[in-house]
Amino acid sequence: MNRAQRGAAGSRGLGTMEVKSKFGAEFRRFSLERSKPGKFEEFYGLLQHVHKIPNVDVLVGYTDIHGDLLPINNDDNYHKAVSTANPLLRIFIQRKEDADYSAFGTDTMTRKKNVLSNVLRPDNHKKKPHIVISMPQDFRPVSSIIDVDILPETHRRVRLYKYGTDKPLGFYIRDGSSVRVTPHGLEKVPGIFISRLVPGGLAQSTGLLAVNDEVLEVNGIEVSGKSLDQVTDMMIANSRNLIITVRPANQRNNVVRNSRTSGSSGQSTESSLPSSTPNILGSLLQGEEESDEEDIIIEDSGEPQQIPKAAPTSESIESLSQIELLHEPTQNGFLPSSEMNLNHSAGSISMEYEVPEQGQKSLEEDGTIITL
Amino acid sequence: MRRFLRPGHDPVRERLKRDLFQFNKTVEHGFPHQPSALGYSPFLRLMAIGTRSGAIKLYGAPGVEFMGLHEENNTVMQIHFIPDQCQLVTLLDDNSLHLWSLKQHGGASELREEHRFTLKGPPGSPPSATQVTAVLPHSSREVLYLGTESGNIFVVELPSLRVLEDRTITPEAVLQRIPEDNCNRRSCELVEALQEHPKNPDQILIGYSRGLIVLWDLQNNKATQHFLGSQQLENLYWQRDGSKFISCHYDGSYTQWPVSSDNRQSEPLENTVPYGPFPCKAISKIYWQTTKNGLPYIIFQGGMPRASYGDRHSISVIHGSQQTAFDFTSRVIDFFIIFSSDPAAEFDDPSALVALAEEELVVIDLKSAGWPAVHPPYLASLHCSAITCSHHVSNIPLKLWERIISAGSKQNIHYSSMPWPIDGGTNIAPDPPQRDLLLTGHEDGTVRFWDASGVCLHLLYKLSTVRVFLTDADPNDNMNTLGEDEWPPLRKVGTFDPYSDDPRLGIQKIYLCKYSGYLAVAGTAGQVLVMELNDEDAEHVVDHAEADLLQDQEGYRWKGHEKLKTRDGPVRFEAGFQPFVLVQCQPPAVVTSLALHSEWRLVAFGTSHGFGLFDHQQKRLVFVKCTLHPSDQLALEGPLSRVKSLKKSLRQSFRRIRRSRVSSRKRRGAGGNASEVQEANAKFDQDALQEMELAPVQRKIEARSAEDSFTGFVRTLYFADTFLRDSSRHCPSLWAGTNGGTVYAFCLRVPPAERRMDEPVRAEQAKEIQLMHRAPVVGILVLDGRSTPLPEPLEVAHDLSKSPDMQGSHQLLVVSEEQFKVFTLPKVSSKLKLKLTALEGCRVRKVTVASFGSCKTDDYSENDLAVLTNLGDIQIISLPFLKLQIRYPCIRKEDVSGIASCVFTKYGQGFYLISPSEFERFSLSTKWLVEPRCIVDMPEVTSNNHVHNKSGPENAARKSRESGKGPDDCGEDERKSGRLMEHALLNDEKVLKEIQSTLEGGR
């Protein structure tokens, strides 16, 4: 039945497209010529007209196919909105003065439900100075380099965000061998390498991964000693929030950091690996939290809903929030974050190592909840 | 992640874990894969079997078994027991000799390798000079005679395995006393047989390949008599009194020769070609057994007419006018005769023929009329038809046990009533604590019921589902249609028959309710049979229903096999499990999951298209649910059919090979061939390896999507009485999990018993859970208010389990290949999870709830999950908190079929196939352990008529050497014992544990 409707809309959609616009509590419905959407300014005028708010400055947003609220503020994103609307273009209008910029961006539709993150990010509710262009929230992140501050310069930790099914992750891995510096001199050890990038795939489009990069960790778990199949399974199991630490084959594009002493670059990869382990927890916690909300339940053939978490005890919430707070930098990691993370002092880093473990321990003993 | 957190864990729990869990591979059940040699000790009454992988297994009375493994993993070519000793010598195909002995250690006997030895020739001599072809352990127990390809016979001292060079019998010495004109140097090439004179230990008979036979006097080092055979020699056998011997030959003839001291060169008494006059195949071994009535038993292997019966694997028994050629289902490796071993007895008086074929052991009772076969208590050919699935049921009630045994005994009436003739050793293992059944489903549509309580896996009963269907396979089509006057008088023996004519009959899932005796069996062509145990033969109509799992799907085309045709009208069933309901899934895809609830009288079944529920009381289909994703073309068309057809064509070509295969070639000929094959294989492997290096294996990294094929494949079905809709009322429910990570829950309404026939069972979908990681759901379980898994149906009714806690809130455990997740019920919210794959890169292959009892206290036990991963590791995960307790490597990860075949028991044991014909049994529990524990005592040597003159001083010298070496030996033994059987399972954790336990013991 659903399909029939969609089909009908499709045939009609060749000519016109339905628009549902919301301002405050009011809805307006009108139609647009899909083939000739016109310019953004005309559309902006039209919206002001239909809502009868001719002199109010507003921000215009729409929900895209993934359910994210994205802004319309120029011709390009206006045309994008029109071309992807199917079958209906949902428009949300806010007054500029009381606009909530954080409403835009990834997971905006689901984030609202996440009480924890709202509590933990009080700044979400504050108004921010208005910059129309280059708001990070205006874009959906597809990848980011994270943990730059704690990884050796020769390594890169890349996070890939997988949305929907339109774009494949698009890479292959293979067995190989790499040379390591060990106490016994140079040693050849087996390793896992990226063997191929699918053209047009997510991995290729990020530009952060390349053929022959050595994979060192998958979501914080070291891959050494694991077989190709094991690593494949780990990556697929984490595919919704995949964090891979690689040693790029091309070491020329590495971020050069001043905060490190010159001795650090001389460190062998082995000595630096343990230091990166504690942070694993951070990445993982985050990853698990996200995927936790994703299972879906349909009760009595009703509407699909996300499965909530069973209410944790208050103690656990405390420890949870502790961790979350401490990891806020990485929580926001989808910002091109090298800048942000560079601001960290060494002191705060060491804190990061210890406290999460404590929090974790208390969880272990508590034994009532380990949903992380 | 938990790995990082483990330091700082609870020491009390750690101690408890040691009392609960322990990993052991305990015993191998079934028939050794690729047997290559057979030996028997009439003195110990033990039989030894060697295999191509270098294993050696000793069997005596039921429960008495030992296993050893040669480090080299080379084929065992020959096994010889040292007369009147607990020792044996093995010859491997790398020409090494190994001396094994049975020694008592800690109250039980153990098989250990004592020495190893490789015969070395003079420098520069060709390898054939020392290639051992015949081994004779001398009755003095001090020396071994080794015949070689060069014709030299080396003498090796026991037990040191040192060559006594001055005693070597060279061809030159042999030829000295033989007239030049009939013999030359070449007639002494290759020693084919060595036999000691039965009455005079100073004389041995040497048979050379080209037909020359020499009676050699060990005292005087000279040939006392020689016999010129015209045919290539295969083997020799002495008559009991030593007055005659018999030789058998390559042309299928055997010859009797008289032995007398006054005649230097003897003429044969009699030369016979038993299956002549046309050319015959070789007779490779022969026995001549005397009896009281004067008529001897002549028993020989081979000799069939080359043209028409050359492909048969036969052993013929001739006794007066009786003659039978036992026709084996696979190549005969070797055989022996059990006869009177009392040296004082006048006659051999044979009682049984024991033949080791490639795929099974057959024992023929020679005392009873008609020479019936004896039902072996062990060494069962599990693979007589390929095993397709297995199911284990613990703790069978005595009543059901007896009924199954009685049904089985009616099937075994054609077996001899003779007690098992190989009865050496004493089984000192405690009686099994409970009666366990292992059910194996086979490709030919049979289900075999095995007594898996103890060390001997013993066939109790065999059930065939074939009779329900009309198949091309005609049950009367056996090869044994020869009439009375047929020649040769072939008689088929053995049960091995791996060639199923209709693969659709294959059994895929089995579920037995031990309380009600209901059995559900499901097969390859979507057939589901529900059966009931009946102690009498019966003839009845099987109710037949069809379950259309595709219902409203359109445009579908099934390209797989057709459904099985059913027989119309009543069918006669023998006593045992008799089917009364047949449900056929449409399309007839392989049944992938099955559940039976004997209390509600419901059976649920699933295929790659969906699942259904059938009420076998009212014989009515309750509902079906299609789980197919519309885009899943593969499942729609049935790709399994392609796999199947490939398998079928393979089977056909095997059959062709089997028909054309030329039967048992000469041992040595085959040996040469084998090395060639090995070489070729090695080359192939190398090439393959190189190729692999050129094109490295790649793995695609892609998220699993809903469109992947086989998402609708139903992996698991589960009945539970739980809170599905609201927390005040519980109701019967059916749960199903698919390959695409979906869980469906149906609320069932089962009418009360008094109205059970009047009202229909109703079902309504109540929940559908989609796991977003979309991994296949392999297990569903409901935990009660005390977090205990719900009991099995009827368990509570039989007072064998506490009734579940229906007051507290229930929890749902969903196990996917990647994660364990606990949800609350009735409102589904996620409570706990354990991500296995994301952390370790392994996937769940098998999961079961097992009860573990403490070995320290009787009153503590707990339920845990036993999990087998795709890496072959076994993990124990606690309930309900999902914490990894312990991990053991169990199966090699390359052994895919081993991992697929694994079944866990309810008490922490398990089985998996190590070869098509062998189950390895393992135990995770400290409390429930079934392993062989037996003792072999040296029987008193009744009369020692083998006194060797020279042995006095040498013997003493040997003894002193031995005692001097004692302590060292002991240390070596300690070291070796751990290696026995355990080569594959030795692992760090175990070693660590051992060290730990010894340290603690020291304190």
Side-chain angles (χ1 to χ4, degrees), chain A residues 168-173 195 226 229-230 232-234 239 292 294-296 298-300 308 310 367 371, chain B residues 698-699 701-703 725 766-772 821 829-831 833 837 839-841 843 871 881:
Chain A
L169 279 170
F171 67 101
Y172 290 71
I173 57 172
S195 62
K226 293 201 157 58
D229 288 330
Q230 273 176 286
T232 307
D233 282 342
M234 286 166 70
S239 59
D292 223 19
E294 289 174 350
D295 290 347
I296 288 173
I298 304 173
E299 300 260 4
D300 294 329
T371 49
Chain B
Q698 292 190 104
R699 291 282 184 275
I701 309 298
E702 210 46 80
R725 283 226 163 105
K767 288 187 196 317
E768 180 180 332
I769 299 171
Q770 175 61 55
L771 302 176
M772 284 317 273
K821 286 194 151 181
S829 51
S830 67
K831 199 166 173 197
K833 72 174 152 185
T837 311
L839 295 174
E840 298 183 26
R843 302 159 149 275
L871 303 179
F881 295 116

Side-chain angles (χ1 to χ4, degrees), chain B residues 433-566:
Chain B
Q434 56 186 29
R435 290 167 297 271
D436 287 357
L437 264 185
L438 180 67
L439 279 68
T440 53
H442 297 263
E443 202 187 18
D444 62 353
T446 57
V447 178
R448 274 157 232 251
F449 290 61
W450 304 92
D451 173 359
S453 326
V455 168
C456 290
L457 192 71
H458 178 67
L459 181 65
L460 295 177
Y461 164 71
K462 178 180 138 185
L463 162 73
S464 176
T465 61
V466 181
R467 210 158 301 173
V468 183
F469 306 103
L470 278 171
T471 61
D472 314 337
D474 183 0
N476 297 323
D477 171 34
N478 55 9
M479 295 185 210
N480 205 12
T481 48
L482 300 165
E484 280 291 306
D485 51 346
E486 288 289 338
W487 188 260
L490 286 165
R491 195 174 106 197
K492 204 162 160 43
V493 284
T495 55
F496 178 71
D497 180 18
Y499 306 101
S500 159
D501 286 299
D502 195 338
R504 294 177 299 169
L505 291 168
I507 305 295
Q508 297 294 335
K509 294 285 161 191
I510 304 170
Y511 189 98
L512 172 69
C513 171
K514 61 185 176 187
Y515 304 109
S516 61
Y518 279 119
L519 173 72
V521 162
T524 305
Q527 73 270 32
V528 180
L529 284 159
V530 188
M531 314 196 198
E532 214 170 6
L533 188 53
N534 186 346
D535 300 323
E536 302 296 330
D537 287 15
E539 191 166 335
H540 60 253
V541 179
V542 178
D543 274 287
H544 177 217
E546 213 165 87
D548 180 10
L549 294 173
L550 284 176
Q551 296 224 300
D552 36 11
Q553 293 279 338
E554 278 178 26
Y556 131 85
R557 200 157 38 115
W558 168 255
K559 291 182 186 166
H561 48 232
E562 285 173 30
K563 68 170 186 174
L564 284 159
K565 287 196 187 74
T566 51

Side-chain angles (χ1 to χ4, degrees), chain B residues 743 771 777 779-781 812-816 819-823:
Chain B
V743 174
L771 302 176
V777 177
I780 298 174
L781 186 69
L812 170 72
L813 170 68
V814 177
V815 182
S816 79
Q819 300 185 4
F820 298 78
K821 286 194 151 181
V822 174
F823 299 99

Side-chain angles (χ1 to χ4, degrees), chain A residues 3 162 165 168-175 195-196 218 220-221 226-230 232-240 242 277 280-281 284-285 287-288 291-292 294-301 307-310 360 364 367-372, chain B residues 1-5 7-8 630 696-707 724-725 764-774 818-819 821 823-824 826-833 835 837-843 870-871 881-883 893:
Chain A
R3 194 181 303 168
K162 170 101 181 93
T165 51
L169 279 170
F171 67 101
Y172 290 71
I173 57 172
R174 63 167 169 89
D175 278 317
S195 62
R196 188 152 88 84
V218 175
I221 310 286
K226 293 201 157 58
S227 70
L228 184 64
D229 288 330
Q230 273 176 286
T232 307
D233 282 342
M234 286 166 70
M235 288 190 173
I236 291 175
N238 287 306
S239 59
R240 294 189 156 256
L242 184 59
T277 337
I280 286 159
L281 289 173
L284 265 180
L285 291 171
E288 302 220 356
S291 60
D292 223 19
E294 289 174 350
D295 290 347
I296 288 173
I297 173 99
I298 304 173
E299 300 260 4
D300 294 329
S301 313
I307 296 182
K309 267 193 272 185
Q360 202 59 47
E364 281 286 304
T368 51
I369 169 167
I370 43 169
T371 49
L372 296 170
Chain B
M1 180 167 77
R2 257 156 262 298
R3 246 193 340 253
F4 303 126
L5 305 170
V697 184
Q698 292 190 104
R699 291 282 184 275
K700 189 178 186 183
I701 309 298
E702 210 46 80
R704 225 184 261 112
S705 82
E707 281 87 47
L724 194 55
R725 283 226 163 105
E764 199 180 338
Q765 180 162 345
K767 288 187 196 317
E768 180 180 332
I769 299 171
Q770 175 61 55
L771 302 176
M772 284 317 273
H773 65 286
R774 294 190 185 277
E818 298 187 354
Q819 300 185 4
K821 286 194 151 181
F823 299 99
T824 56
K827 170 140 182 57
V828 175
S829 51
S830 67
K831 199 166 173 197
L832 285 179
K833 72 174 152 185
K835 285 179 153 189
T837 311
L839 295 174
E840 298 183 26
C842 58
R843 302 159 149 275
N870 65 332
L871 303 179
F881 295 116
L882 301 182
K883 291 197 185 180
K893 71 170 181 232

Side-chain angles (χ1 to χ4, degrees), chain A residues 105-347:
Chain A
T106 321
D107 290 343
T108 40
M109 300 319 271
T110 51
R111 203 199 287 157
K112 283 178 192 152
K113 292 172 195 155
N114 191 343
V115 183
L116 259 181
S117 67
N118 279 342
V119 171
L120 297 172
R121 273 185 252 169
D123 57 341
N124 279 354
H125 306 288
K126 285 186 211 147
K127 285 175 194 170
K128 282 182 184 172
H130 175 208
I131 308 163
V132 176
I133 294 183
S134 297
M135 289 283 291
Q137 295 94 325
D138 291 357
F139 302 93
R140 177 186 306 119
V142 291
S143 66
S144 54
I145 302 186
I146 58 172
D147 298 341
V148 185
D149 51 338
I150 53 169
L151 284 178
E153 286 161 18
T154 52
H155 295 185
R156 182 185 295 163
R157 187 167 288 169
V158 177
R159 186 165 182 176
L160 296 177
Y161 300 82
K162 170 101 181 93
Y163 295 96
T165 51
D166 52 341
K167 211 166 201 182
L169 279 170
F171 67 101
Y172 290 71
I173 57 172
R174 63 167 169 89
D175 278 317
S177 60
S178 72
V179 178
R180 298 283 175 94
V181 186
T182 68
H184 317 290
L186 290 177
E187 249 177 46
K188 218 174 169 190
V189 292
I192 304 285
F193 294 84
I194 294 176
S195 62
R196 188 152 88 84
L197 298 179
V198 178
L202 188 59
Q204 195 206 36
S205 67
T206 65
L208 299 176
L209 297 174
V211 171
N212 292 333
D213 284 2
E214 184 182 0
V215 178
L216 302 171
E217 293 174 2
V218 175
N219 287 51
I221 310 286
E222 273 184 58
V223 304
S224 77
K226 293 201 157 58
S227 70
L228 184 64
D229 288 330
Q230 273 176 286
V231 178
T232 307
D233 282 342
M234 286 166 70
M235 288 190 173
I236 291 175
N238 287 306
S239 59
R240 294 189 156 256
N241 176 37
L242 184 59
I243 300 166
I244 353 182
T245 310
V246 294
R247 181 175 21 216
N250 180 355
Q251 290 282 345
R252 271 177 295 184
N253 298 334
N254 291 337
V255 184
V256 181
R257 276 168 277 158
N258 303 325
S259 57
R260 290 259 180 172
T261 56
S262 58
S264 68
S265 60
Q267 279 180 320
S268 78
T269 54
E270 263 56 42
S271 61
S272 58
L273 272 177
S275 72
S276 66
T277 337
N279 195 67
I280 286 159
L281 289 173
S283 316
L284 265 180
L285 291 171
Q286 198 180 359
E288 302 220 356
E289 221 226 308
E290 276 180 18
S291 60
D292 223 19
E293 303 167 331
E294 289 174 350
D295 290 347
I296 288 173
I297 173 99
I298 304 173
E299 300 260 4
D300 294 329
S301 313
E303 281 294 302
Q305 287 174 344
Q306 280 172 348
I307 296 182
K309 267 193 272 185
T313 63
S314 56
E315 259 177 291
S316 315
I317 284 187
E318 261 170 51
S319 47
L320 255 177
S321 50
Q322 228 175 346
I323 298 162
E324 292 296 332
L325 278 172
L326 279 157
H327 281 274
E328 214 204 336
T330 41
Q331 180 81 27
N332 280 336
F334 54 76
L335 306 174
S337 59
S338 47
E339 275 173 84
M340 278 192 70
N341 289 337
L342 275 174
N343 297 334
H344 273 273
S345 70

Side-chain angles (χ1 to χ4, degrees), chain B residues 23 118 464 669 745 759 858 876:
Chain B
F23 181 72
T118 303
S464 176
E759 292 174 22
D858 274 341
I876 296 173

